[in-house]
């Protein structure tokens, strides 16, 4: 890990200027919108989606990348000539490339060789370079080794995400959600629903709610192939699934260091077909395309709202639009791609239609009934 020469005033001045540039990016960007998702008023339950796709790099990961750069700069890990390396083929790499270019730094994203040309193009558009690795399970090790070879800094989002963000406030995503709900009829949400990739967002929200003594509970939704759900279910944090997630941005083959299970009140495993069905159904209601992880969030939120209705409880539920659907035209929104993956969206779409029409939730306990062969339990 790089440590700058503390006796070099020029480097110290550069770091000071770099921090000012990153902070200015946040200052000139308006906060992301909190959008209401229309539900029958008679239910007495409100659903909101915080639109993280409106960040300059188009996703929730913009917040993470900003925090990671500030954390590395303030720790003395990045200087004016430091190459920055990350293990990511998705939105984190796009956002980190954006900040690296802002600071005039070389950025290299290490990713599986199977990564789509569309994702590579997004990273390169922001000025980043892509280093391809044949073995997907070796990406983190390859990124760490590359950073060492270059004399650079391995950003390591999966370790540093939960500590790079000030969970007590400082305009983090949790503080923003509560501030935006202040004038709503249910200003303290019953549930906040998020997925976990690094685990940083769930850690920030869970810690903040406890710090402020809010009654809000945190639900983490998890896609197929991810280790977070089975590890949480069995309280075995050494579980490995040996595979990645088809839902970009969330799910990991192992429990990452940033994931903080003690601040999570509930986890819901979501079949991939359910994620894509909720993505498409939600896009139709919102009048705009959202990404697959937003669909995972919506599936979990719908199930929790139906549960609240059944129990006669009123309140609000908040989840996230993690990114826009324009990145997934040839995958999640392609019927041919969905069929190639061996999925059918018919059954989960019928469940969602039943929920939106009458608040009932008839999700079966087996993911196989939803076009998935590997999911354990569905959301109830």
């Amino acid at each position: 890990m790089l440590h700058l020469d503390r006796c070099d005033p020029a480097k110290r001045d550069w770091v000071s200027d770099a921090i000012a540039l990153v902070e200015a990016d946040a200052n000139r960007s308006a906060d992301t919108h909190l959008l209401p998702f229309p539900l029958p008023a008679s239910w007495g339950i409100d659903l909101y989606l915080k639109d993280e796709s409106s960040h300059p790099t188009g996703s929730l990961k913009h917040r993470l990348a900003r925090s990671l750069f500030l954390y590395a700069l303030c720790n003395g890990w990045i200087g004016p000539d430091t190459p920055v390396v990350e293990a990511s083929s998705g939105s984190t790499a796009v956002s980190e490339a954006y900040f690296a270019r802002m600071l005039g730094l070389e950025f290299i994203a290490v990713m599986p060789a199977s990564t789509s040309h569309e994702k590579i193009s997004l990273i390169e558009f922001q000025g980043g370079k892509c280093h391809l690795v044949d073995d997907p399970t070796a990406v983190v090790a390859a990124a760490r080794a590359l950073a060492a070879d270059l004399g650079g800094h391995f950003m390591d989002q999966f370790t540093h995400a939960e500590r790079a963000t000030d969970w007590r406030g400082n305009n983090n995503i949790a503080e923003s959600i509560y501030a935006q709900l202040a004038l709503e009829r249910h200003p303290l949400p019953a549930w906040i629903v998020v997925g976990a990739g690094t685990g940083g967002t769930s850690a920030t929200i869970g810690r903040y709610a406890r710090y402020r003594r809010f009654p809000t509970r945190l639900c983490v939704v998890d896609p197929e192939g991810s280790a977070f759900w089975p590890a949480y279910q069995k309280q075995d944090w050494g579980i490995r699934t040996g595979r990645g997630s088809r839902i970009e941005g969330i799910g990991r083959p192992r429990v990452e260091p940033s994931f903080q299970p003690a601040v999570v009140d509930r986890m819901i495993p979501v079949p991939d077909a359910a994620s894509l069905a909720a993505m498409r159904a939600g896009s139709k209601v919102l009048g705009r395309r959202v990404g697959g992880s937003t669909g995972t969030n919506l599936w979990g939120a719908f199930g929790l709202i139906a549960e609240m209705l059944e129990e006669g409880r009123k309140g609000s539920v908040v989840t996230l639009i993690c990114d826009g659907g324009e990145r997934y035209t040839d995958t999640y929104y392609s019927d041919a791609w969905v069929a190639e993956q061996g999925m059918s969206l018919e059954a989960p779409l019928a469940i969602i239609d039943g929920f939106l029409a009458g608040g009932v939730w008839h999700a079966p306990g087996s993911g196989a009934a939803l076009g998935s062969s590997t999911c354990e339990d569905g959301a109830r």
Side-chain angles (χ1 to χ4, degrees):
M1 184 174 291
L2 177 70
H3 291 279
L4 301 180
D5 183 355
R6 293 174 178 82
C7 298
D8 187 335
K11 287 184 178 179
R12 183 63 180 266
D13 289 344
W14 181 89
V15 169
S16 179
D17 291 341
I19 291 170
L21 283 171
V22 176
E23 290 276 72
D25 174 82
N27 191 55
R28 66 173 172 262
S29 299
D31 198 3
T32 59
H33 298 298
L34 192 66
L35 307 177
F37 187 98
L39 296 174
S42 61
W43 290 6
I45 299 174
D46 301 320
L47 174 60
Y48 301 92
L49 291 88
K50 189 156 178 62
D51 184 10
E52 294 295 288
S53 71
S54 60
H55 285 294
T57 52
S59 81
L60 169 66
K61 300 300 185 180
H62 193 85
R63 289 183 189 268
L64 173 60
R66 181 194 296 133
S67 295
L68 288 170
F69 267 90
L70 287 172
Y71 189 67
L73 287 164
C74 293
N75 280 329
W77 298 341
I78 292 178
D81 302 308
T82 307
V84 177
V85 181
E86 183 61 282
S88 171
S89 61
S91 296
T92 301
V94 175
S95 297
E96 288 187 11
Y98 168 91
F99 284 104
R101 180 168 63 179
M102 176 187 295
L103 302 181
L105 300 175
E106 180 183 14
F107 176 77
I108 304 169
V110 180
M111 62 188 67
S114 58
T115 301
S116 70
H117 293 298
E118 289 82 3
K119 293 178 184 177
I120 292 173
S121 295
L122 286 171
I123 295 165
E124 291 177 341
F125 177 79
Q126 296 294 347
K129 300 176 183 176
C130 298
H131 179 84
L132 304 181
V133 177
D134 289 331
D135 180 2
T137 65
V139 168
V140 172
R144 185 176 286 109
L146 179 62
D149 289 344
L150 295 174
H153 173 60
F154 174 40
M155 196 67 89
D156 196 2
Q157 58 169 322
F158 299 110
T159 296
H160 295 135
E162 58 89 11
R163 64 196 70 170
T165 300
D166 185 354
W167 50 267
R168 289 162 293 192
N170 194 24
N171 196 34
N172 66 36
I173 190 170
E175 185 177 52
S176 176
I177 287 170
Y178 284 98
Q180 290 175 316
L181 281 172
L183 300 181
E184 304 297 324
R185 63 174 176 170
H186 303 299
L188 296 178
W191 288 98
I192 296 179
V193 181
V194 298
T198 61
T201 300
S202 60
T204 298
I205 293 172
R207 287 166 167 169
Y208 183 83
R210 284 159 176 74
Y211 176 62
R212 294 297 305 272
R213 294 173 290 158
F214 292 143
T216 306
R217 289 182 288 173
L218 174 66
C219 176
V220 171
V221 287
D222 207 34
E224 292 179 32
S226 175
F228 293 125
W229 157 248
Y232 187 86
Q233 184 186 40
K234 299 174 183 176
Q235 296 292 291
D236 178 0
W237 312 112
I239 283 179
R240 302 286 192 274
T241 63
R243 54 173 292 202
S245 167
R246 283 184 294 199
I247 306 302
E248 184 179 323
I250 58 173
R252 294 291 297 163
R254 67 169 192 168
V255 179
E256 299 295 346
S258 282
F259 183 64
Q260 301 298 309
V263 303
V264 177
D265 296 290
R266 184 167 174 179
M267 289 199 71
I268 296 175
V270 180
D272 288 347
S275 292
L276 301 190
M279 173 198 75
R280 293 189 180 193
S283 296
K284 192 173 294 185
V285 171
L286 294 168
R288 49 173 291 191
R289 284 187 168 185
V290 297
S293 56
T294 304
T296 313
N297 291 340
L298 283 171
W299 182 266
F302 291 162
L304 291 170
I305 291 170
E307 192 175 280
M308 291 171 66
L309 280 170
E310 186 177 359
E311 296 171 356
R313 292 188 287 126
K314 301 184 185 303
S316 58
V317 175
V318 179
T319 191
L320 310 179
I321 297 177
C322 302
D323 62 2
E326 65 279 354
R327 299 180 178 190
Y328 309 105
T329 300
D330 296 330
T331 53
Y332 302 157
Y333 284 97
S334 166
D335 292 338
W337 183 89
V338 171
E340 288 171 4
Q341 300 298 309
M343 290 187 286
S344 170
L345 308 188
E346 184 177 353
L349 283 171
I351 292 167
I352 294 167
D353 287 344
F355 166 75
L356 294 176
V360 295
W361 191 246
H362 291 312
S366 170
L370 297 178
S372 164
S373 60
T374 59
C375 185
E376 296 178 58
D377 295 319
R380 68 184 180 93

